């Protein structure tokens, strides 16, 4: 679509200036990096959503961004991504407060157990809740909110919205296209998340809302094997320590694990008008590993 000045990615005040955003999985390293990225490009407000959110969850992040990007409001918001009612409640909250919604980043993945023997039906259900129900409810309910137009309001970084616009970004895994990354539950749920994105293209026809997937490879989230629940019920990505430096140099084109900020930059691109003709895409962010190898994480 042609973007008006409101959504020009070349705005001097930031390619996301005035945007009101939701980021789920916000307590995870990738989620926090995405919040920083959106703030850096002028977002007016960002709802930092996570089930375990408490007043202190985001204190270091909000303090830091209050210094570097004081005009972006970060709103910690307790949120269960698997609840349709809570999704509707969050959207109502956003519209009642800001009158618009522009970007929804679903970054709430869950590893689950690494083997089929260790995977229970409940584990599988939780994986699908995190990977699939979260973007599905965003696809079902966010576009109507993203169609709302708004005049410039009296809050920092406010801007008018005179054209329907929206971007839904699903942060997934290279497990969305092949197996062997972790346990079977992870692969099943990641495939389903990409299915939401591909189904979403037809659903969103005529709305000026786009939906895309980021399939991340080996991302260093700052934990080692001694710092992770090996049943995978607390982490979004496998620990980079599963592959030593020698293995990374051998099977990753860029010879290292990625960083959360490198996933976040792709999310910022997909949120902005720079990607105005990109929808239904699956952007692989794995340093070239999947182009070179059938597996990225040998277990």
């Amino acid at each position: 679509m042609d973007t008006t000045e409101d959504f020009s990615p070349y705005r001097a005040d930031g390619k996301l200036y005035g945007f009101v955003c939701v980021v789920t999985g916000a307590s995870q390293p990738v989620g926090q990096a995405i919040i920083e990225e959106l703030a850096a490009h002028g977002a007016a407000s960002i709802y930092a959503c996570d089930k375990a959110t408490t007043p202190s969850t985001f204190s270091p992040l909000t303090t830091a961004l209050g210094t570097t990007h004081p005009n972006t409001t970060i709103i910690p918001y307790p949120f269960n991504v698997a609840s349709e009612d809570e999704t509707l409640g969050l959207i109502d909250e956003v519209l009642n407060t800001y009158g618009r919604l522009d970007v929804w980043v679903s970054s709430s993945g869950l590893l689950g157990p690494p083997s089929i023997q260790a995977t229970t039906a409940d584990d599988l259900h939780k994986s699908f809740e995190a990977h699939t129900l979260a973007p599905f409810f965003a696809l079902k309910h966010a576009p109507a909110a993203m169609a709302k137009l708004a005049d410039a309001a009296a809050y920092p970084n406010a801007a008018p919205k005179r054209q329907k616009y929206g971007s839904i970004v699903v942060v997934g895994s290279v497990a969305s296209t092949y197996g062997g990354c972790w346990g079977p539950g992870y692969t099943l749920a990641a495939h389903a998340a990409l299915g939401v994105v591909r189904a979403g293209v037809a659903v969103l026809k005529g709305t000026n809302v786009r939906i895309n997937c980021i399939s991340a490879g080996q991302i260093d989230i700052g934990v080692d094997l001694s710092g992770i629940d090996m049943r995978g019920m607390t982490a979004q990505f496998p620990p980079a320590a599963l592959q030593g430096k020698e293995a990374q140099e051998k099977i990753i084109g860029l010879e290292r694990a990625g960083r959360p900020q490198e996933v976040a930059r792709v999310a910022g691109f997909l949120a902005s008008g720079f990607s105005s003709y990109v929808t239904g895409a699956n952007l692989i962010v794995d340093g070239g590993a999947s182009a070179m190898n059938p597996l990225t994480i040998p277990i």
Side-chain angles (χ1 to χ4, degrees):
M1 72 176 183
D2 293 329
T3 55
T4 64
E5 182 182 353
D6 299 347
F7 299 100
S8 170
Y10 296 104
R11 289 183 63 132
D13 42 16
K15 65 183 180 183
L16 303 176
Y17 187 83
F19 282 26
V20 175
C21 311
V22 167
V23 179
T24 69
S27 67
Q28 298 282 353
V30 170
Q32 297 215 353
I34 290 170
I35 290 170
E36 293 181 44
E37 180 71 13
L38 300 180
H41 292 285
S45 61
I46 304 168
Y47 282 77
C49 302
D50 204 283
K51 192 173 184 178
T53 295
T54 66
S56 62
T57 302
F58 298 103
S59 292
L61 180 64
T62 55
T63 299
L65 293 184
T67 300
T68 56
H69 308 295
N71 288 331
T72 297
T73 302
I74 310 298
I75 304 156
Y77 194 91
F79 179 60
N80 178 4
V81 297
S83 170
E84 187 167 15
D85 287 343
E86 290 194 27
T87 301
L88 289 167
L90 171 57
I91 291 171
D92 283 346
E93 165 72 18
V94 172
L95 292 180
N96 288 335
T97 304
Y98 293 99
R100 63 186 286 177
L101 173 62
D102 304 288
V103 174
W104 190 293
V105 182
S106 180
S107 179
S108 52
L110 183 71
L111 279 176
S115 70
I116 195 166
Q117 289 80 11
T119 304
T120 66
D122 185 57
D123 295 332
L124 193 60
H125 183 69
K126 288 177 180 176
S127 292
F128 272 88
E129 284 184 344
H131 285 273
T132 312
L133 278 183
F136 175 79
F137 289 145
L139 171 64
K140 184 176 180 180
H141 297 296
M146 291 172 171
K148 301 286 186 183
L149 307 183
D151 297 324
Y155 53 81
N157 280 20
K161 183 172 183 177
R162 293 168 288 206
Q163 174 182 337
K164 294 179 181 180
Y165 180 95
S167 177
I168 300 170
V169 180
V170 180
V171 178
S173 161
V174 288
S176 64
T177 56
Y178 59 89
C181 291
W182 185 256
Y186 186 58
T187 300
L188 288 167
H191 271 67
L194 181 57
V196 173
V197 171
R198 290 177 169 165
V201 176
V203 171
L204 294 172
K205 287 186 68 175
T207 66
N208 275 345
V209 175
R210 299 174 292 106
I211 184 168
N212 293 285
C213 183
I214 300 172
S215 284
Q218 187 66 279
I219 304 300
D220 188 350
I221 55 174
V223 298
D224 57 25
L225 292 177
S226 64
I228 187 173
D229 166 21
M230 288 303 292
R231 291 199 74 252
M233 304 312 291
T234 60
Q236 183 178 13
F237 294 104
L242 284 173
Q243 291 179 329
K245 187 174 186 298
E246 182 179 346
Q248 290 180 9
E249 290 176 350
K250 179 179 179 181
I251 70 171
I252 299 176
L254 295 179
E255 300 185 331
R256 61 174 176 83
R259 297 183 291 271
Q261 292 80 5
E262 291 173 307
V263 178
R265 290 168 193 155
V266 181
F269 163 73
L270 290 173
S272 77
F274 277 122
S275 58
S276 59
Y277 199 59
V278 181
T279 192
N282 183 29
L283 299 190
I284 308 296
V285 183
D286 70 350
S290 59
M292 295 173 57
N293 306 279
L295 300 178
T296 59
I297 305 168
I299 299 297

